[in-house]
Each structure stands twice: as C-alpha cells, then as structure tokens.
C-alpha cells in the first residue's frame, strides 16, 4: 500500500476477530518495521511489552482496562514503554555501525545533552514511543490489518502488573488484528489555517 494511502486508511478499530492470530513472520515484520522509527541520538528508548498471555490480557481488560474488548480480542497487543536512562547505558552501541568520528561526536554529545535534565529524558522517551506507535500502525495498515492505540487503562496498576523498571516510563498500548466492524465515522480534521503558523505566533 502506498504510504499516503496507509495514512488515510489507518483508523482506530475497536472490534477484532478473537480467533485470528498473526503468524510469527508477520509479527516479526511488524516489529522490525516499528524499530525503523527515528529516535533522538539513535537511542532507541522503546521497550515493547508483548502482552500475549490470555489470562494476563483478561486481567488487564476486566480490572484495569475499562472492559475494552480489543484488549483480549486483538491478535497482537503491544504495550509501549521506554527506558528514560537509555542514553547512559553503553551509549556507544547506538553508533556502533557509524564512522568513528561520527560515533565519537554523537556519543560525546549524548551525556551532556541529557545529564541532569530529567524532564528532557522523559520527553524524549515519550516522543520516541509516539514515533514508534505510528510506525507500527502504518505498517499494520500496509499489511492489511487494523489497529487501535489505547491509553484508557490504569497506567500505574498496569506498570505494577508488568513489573515496569523504575527507570522506564509507560506509554499507550496498540491492539492489532483483523477488524470485524467498520470504525466510527471520522469526526473531521481542523482546517490547516487553524493549525499551521508561519514563522511564529
């Protein structure tokens, strides 16, 4: 599918075929595509928690997820998290394939840019999550699947349930699978004249 077509075709689908499962190869292709998303300094903050266990999914749906059917029925349920301290964990590995002068320059900048700026560390981690989520959903659309980004769950409770490390942040979940109902009609986009600012406000 053409990328522009995929952008317009992607919709938040709420109802999935609970019997359908992605093949291991399809899942690998989706995740390999997802990690092509850009990250600041190539840090690749994302940590994708694949929520696969049916009992775990049922618990999330009933106790922490507002009984949303896509939590249990989607073929694939991915919880996006990110390591806010990834910039300090062997940073040279993010530039291992680059020419040495480039690697030295970027790795040298990474520490001073992040150190002591906890707000920035968190912001960058969440930005990386957002870019990866959209990449995953567009890849799924291109493969003929539907998706649904989700933040309607008890974030703190789910963090406890999955034993989220202290230096990680929670992001949304994305459900992927074969949709069984048409999505709601698009509510409409704001006109560009309300959204685009030339050279400053």
């Amino acid at each position: 599918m053409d990328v522009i077509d995929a952008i317009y075709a992607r919709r938040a689908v709420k109802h999935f075929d609970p019997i359908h499962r992605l093949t291991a190869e399809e899942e690998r292709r989706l995740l390999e595509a997802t990690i092509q998303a850009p990250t600041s300094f190539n840090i690749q903050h994302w940590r994708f928690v694949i929520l696969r266990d049916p009992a775990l999914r049922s618990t999330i749906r009933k106790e922490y997820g507002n009984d949303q059917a896509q939590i249990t029925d989607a073929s694939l349920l991915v919880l996006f998290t990110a390591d806010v301290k990834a910039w300090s964990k062997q940073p040279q590995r993010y530039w291992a394939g680059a020419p040495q002068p480039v690697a030295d320059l970027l790795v040298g900048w990474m520490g001073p840019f992040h150190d002591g700026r906890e707000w920035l560390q968190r912001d960058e981690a969440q930005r990386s999550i957002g870019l990866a989520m959209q990449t995953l959903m567009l890849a799924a659309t291109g493969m003929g699947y539907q998706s649904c980004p989700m933040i309607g769950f008890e974030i703190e409770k789910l963090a406890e349930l999955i034993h989220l490390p202290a230096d990680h942040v929670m992001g949304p979940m994305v459900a992927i699978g074969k949709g069984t109902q048409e999505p709601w009609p698009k509510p409409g986009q704001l006109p560009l004249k309300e959204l685009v600012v030339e050279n400053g406000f």
Side-chain angles (χ1 to χ4, degrees), residues 164-178:
L164 186 77
D167 56 2
H168 285 47
V169 292
M170 292 279 283
M173 291 189 283
V174 175
I176 294 171
K178 280 289 183 188

Side-chain angles (χ1 to χ4, degrees), residues 101-174:
V102 174
D104 291 345
L105 179 68
L106 271 298
V107 172
W109 280 353
M110 210 177 298
F113 184 77
H114 291 91
D115 193 28
R117 304 169 84 188
E118 283 72 19
W119 62 270
L120 177 69
Q121 296 169 27
R122 183 180 177 88
D123 284 358
E124 286 296 340
Q126 291 290 2
R127 275 190 279 272
S128 295
I129 285 174
L131 289 164
M133 284 179 60
Q134 182 72 341
T135 302
L136 173 64
M137 290 187 291
L138 291 177
T141 302
M143 291 172 62
Y145 288 113
Q146 288 72 50
S147 62
C148 183
M150 304 171 58
I151 198 62
F153 56 89
E154 294 186 41
I155 297 169
E156 294 85 356
K157 297 288 188 182
L158 186 51
E160 291 176 11
L161 190 64
I162 65 162
H163 310 291
L164 186 77
D167 56 2
H168 285 47
V169 292
M170 292 279 283
M173 291 189 283
V174 175

Side-chain angles (χ1 to χ4, degrees), residues 5 22 45 60 63 86 105 117 171 176-177:
D5 291 340
L22 275 68
H45 309 75
I60 295 168
E63 297 184 25
L105 179 68
R117 304 169 84 188
I176 294 171

Side-chain angles (χ1 to χ4, degrees), residues 18-45:
I19 304 302
H20 180 270
R21 288 291 173 265
L22 275 68
T23 67
E25 174 60 17
E26 287 176 317
E27 185 175 316
R28 185 197 65 76
R29 283 181 60 207
L30 276 174
L31 295 174
E32 288 283 357
T34 301
I35 64 173
Q36 304 311 307
T39 57
S40 179
F41 288 95
N42 199 39
I43 289 173
Q44 304 165 69
H45 309 75

Side-chain angles (χ1 to χ4, degrees), residues 6-16 70 141 144-149 177-188:
I7 289 168
Y8 281 90
R10 186 216 58 79
R11 300 295 309 285
V13 169
K14 305 292 185 182
H15 301 280
F16 292 90
Q70 62 267 37
T141 302
Y145 288 113
Q146 288 72 50
S147 62
C148 183
K178 280 289 183 188
T180 59
Q181 293 184 19
E182 289 296 315
W184 296 328
K186 258 194 173 181

